[in-house]
Amino acid sequence: MKKNYLLTPGPTPLPPEVCLAQAQPIIHHRTPQFQAVLKEVGEGLKYVFQTKNDVYILSSSGPGAMEAAVVNTLSAGDTALVVQGGKFGERWTEICKAYGIKAEVIDVPWGEGVLSAEIEKRLKAGPAIKAVFTTLCETSTGVANDIEAIGKVVGGTSALLVVDAISGLGAIDLQNDAWGVDICVSGSQKGLMLPPGLGFISVSAKAWKLVEQAKLPRYYLDLNRARKAWASTDTPFTPAISLVIALAESLKLMRADGLENIFARHRTMADATRAAVKALGLELFAPKAASDVVTAVKVPQGIDGEKLVKTMRDTYGVTIAGGQAELKGKVFRVAHMGHIGEFDIIVGISCLEKVLHQMGHSFVFGAGVRAAEEVFAGGKQ
Ligand SMILES: *Cc1c(COP(=O)(O)O)cnc(C)c1O
């Protein structure tokens, strides 16, 4: 029997406590027992989102929360500015288009972060822009955008700053209130260490003003409904009860750990992964704006990138991610997000070495593992 390891940027591995929490017998959601859970997760989410605003829980995957951000704040014919530097930035554009929003696009080269000065320039030239849609970690390229800098330029305007933090929240720093993020959306199956199925959305006072004026059609994702229900510690529809109970457990683990420690650990895992692939003679795809969430690596010349990922997974049980869209076959991505420790990285790198060797890439056996171990040890041996 093959043993499986998951090193993908969603879903991510589950801590055993979370697995067990969601396996408990179901309880009814309109009860004091479940209300106690909702209260607890409400507080825990504020901690992880670093906000005083309420964070609403949607029974949807991440893009449900993205769609909620669009339909609740805008009206048909409105203009929005979208930062596109990969597949997930493109998703904002697609959602805007589906609802008749004019999407002005900043086409950032894949592998680079957006410059806040570019956003500033576009906002000055387009005073009608009602919202700026951005991505914390562009999972398709491994890039982390500088949301703090973007917050500084958007904060002085009437536009809302909306951040897709589906990947990155609970892994790297995102100070929603301090940095002036109006709407932050996330999902359960990445840094929050849960199965897929929950979406999250925080809404600032500035954003609520737009929610009250927005005219796009909405029903299931209507935040007015969510706010009204939340005022009496309730949800407008039947929530994914078992996932919310599991969320209480993961938030408890995260609080016990502390955000500072969580961010430091992600930094270490990312440093080790980057050092390891470089030691194998490979190149980072996004060397200047690499996130501590997922590392995208260029597939070396002469190696079939799709086969590399497939062999690691199907022959050895180590699942990493391939490239998406225009990067298909050209990069592979190793995630180090959520419940990932030193030895997960060692397993991933060791398997990468094994398959690269089989495919004819030349390097010294153990060089990647050694480089990772040196990072973990805090210096060269
Ligand atoms: C994973 C991801 C999404 C998509 O969310 P799903 O719940 O997996 O469909 C959107 N944006 C980013 C940045 C992501 O990493």
Side-chain angles (χ1 to χ4, degrees):
M1 196 188 71
K2 189 165 61 210
K3 189 161 178 185
N4 291 309
Y5 303 84
L6 190 59
L7 288 163
T8 55
T12 62
L14 307 183
E17 293 90 336
V18 171
C19 295
L20 289 174
Q22 62 155 357
Q24 292 173 62
I26 199 81
I27 60 171
H28 196 277
H29 54 296
R30 309 221 195 272
T31 56
Q33 289 87 338
F34 191 67
Q35 275 190 319
V37 179
L38 278 182
K39 244 198 171 75
E40 185 182 332
V41 299
E43 288 310 310
L45 286 169
K46 286 181 180 182
Y47 172 71
V48 172
F49 274 66
Q50 303 190 60
T51 182
K52 289 201 171 66
N53 300 319
D54 285 332
V55 182
Y56 302 98
I57 303 170
L58 307 172
S59 300
S60 76
S61 73
M66 294 173 77
E67 185 154 338
V70 173
V71 298
N72 281 282
T73 57
L74 300 174
S75 305
D78 278 353
T79 305
L81 184 61
V82 181
V83 174
Q84 244 183 218
K87 193 169 157 31
F88 293 106
E90 285 176 358
R91 193 161 289 178
W92 279 128
T93 309
E94 288 163 13
I95 299 172
C96 284
K97 286 198 172 143
Y99 283 98
I101 303 300
K102 284 183 217 133
E104 278 195 24
V105 171
I106 298 181
D107 238 328
V108 182
W110 288 35
E112 291 177 24
V114 69
L115 299 172
S116 58
E118 180 62 24
I119 295 179
E120 189 172 25
K121 198 175 92 193
R122 298 289 286 265
L123 282 172
K124 277 200 179 122
I129 291 167
K130 282 212 173 152
V132 181
F133 292 100
T134 63
T135 312
L136 173 63
C137 171
E138 179 45 82
T139 312
S140 60
T141 62
V143 161
N145 281 303
D146 186 349
I147 301 298
E148 185 176 12
I150 297 170
K152 285 196 178 117
V153 305
V154 181
T157 72
S158 62
L160 293 184
L161 174 56
V162 184
V163 179
D164 166 1
I166 294 172
S167 132
L169 184 91
I172 55 176
D173 200 12
L174 175 62
Q175 299 178 25
N176 279 302
D177 285 1
W179 296 353
V181 176
D182 293 299
I183 295 190
C184 174
V185 301
S186 197
S188 51
Q189 77 279 22
K190 308 219 173 171
L192 294 177
M193 308 179 290
L194 293 165
L198 294 181
F200 306 98
I201 181 164
S202 70
V203 187
S204 73
K206 182 174 166 185
W208 274 117
K209 291 213 179 87
L210 255 81
V211 175
E212 281 147 20
Q213 300 159 11
K215 294 200 177 57
L216 282 179
R218 54 202 198 261
Y219 184 83
Y220 185 68
L221 298 174
D222 189 347
L223 288 176
N224 289 305
R225 255 177 237 280
R227 173 156 72 165
K228 193 156 163 251
W230 198 244
S232 44
T233 324
D234 203 352
T235 54
F237 310 102
T238 306
I241 298 169
S242 299
L243 286 176
V244 175
I245 288 171
L247 170 65
E249 199 58 42
S250 75
L251 289 170
K252 209 184 283 171
L253 294 171
M254 292 179 82
R255 277 195 168 206
D257 222 357
L259 287 181
E260 288 298 315
N261 290 326
I262 292 172
F263 300 153
R265 186 171 62 248
H266 281 81
R267 165 62 54 85
T268 305
M269 297 307 141
D271 280 344
T273 305
R274 294 187 282 247
V277 294
K278 283 187 208 158
L280 297 176
L282 306 179
E283 243 183 285
L284 298 177
F285 179 70
K288 281 182 288 181
S291 73
D292 293 338
V293 179
V294 52
T295 296
V297 184
K298 288 187 192 169
V299 174
Q301 284 254 311
I303 301 280
D304 178 340
E306 287 183 74
K307 190 172 166 202
L308 169 75
V309 172
K310 203 165 162 333
T311 308
M312 284 179 67
R313 182 190 64 216
D314 298 345
T315 308
Y316 301 111
V318 175
T319 305
I320 61 168
Q324 294 168 290
E326 64 187 61
L327 294 180
K328 207 174 167 70
K330 295 186 183 143
V331 303
F332 62 85
R333 295 170 298 148
V334 180
H336 22 76
M337 175 166 36
H339 188 52
I340 295 283
E342 291 183 11
F343 299 101
D344 296 305
I345 302 298
I346 296 295
V347 165
I349 297 301
S350 160
C351 183
L352 177 64
E353 290 192 7
K354 189 169 179 102
V355 177
L356 279 174
H357 171 71
Q358 286 170 7
M359 294 180 83
H361 180 66
S362 73
F363 60 94
V364 178
F365 253 143
V369 168
R370 182 189 183 99
E373 298 230 50
E374 282 173 347
V375 169
F376 296 141
K380 287 201 187 298
Q381 198 187 30

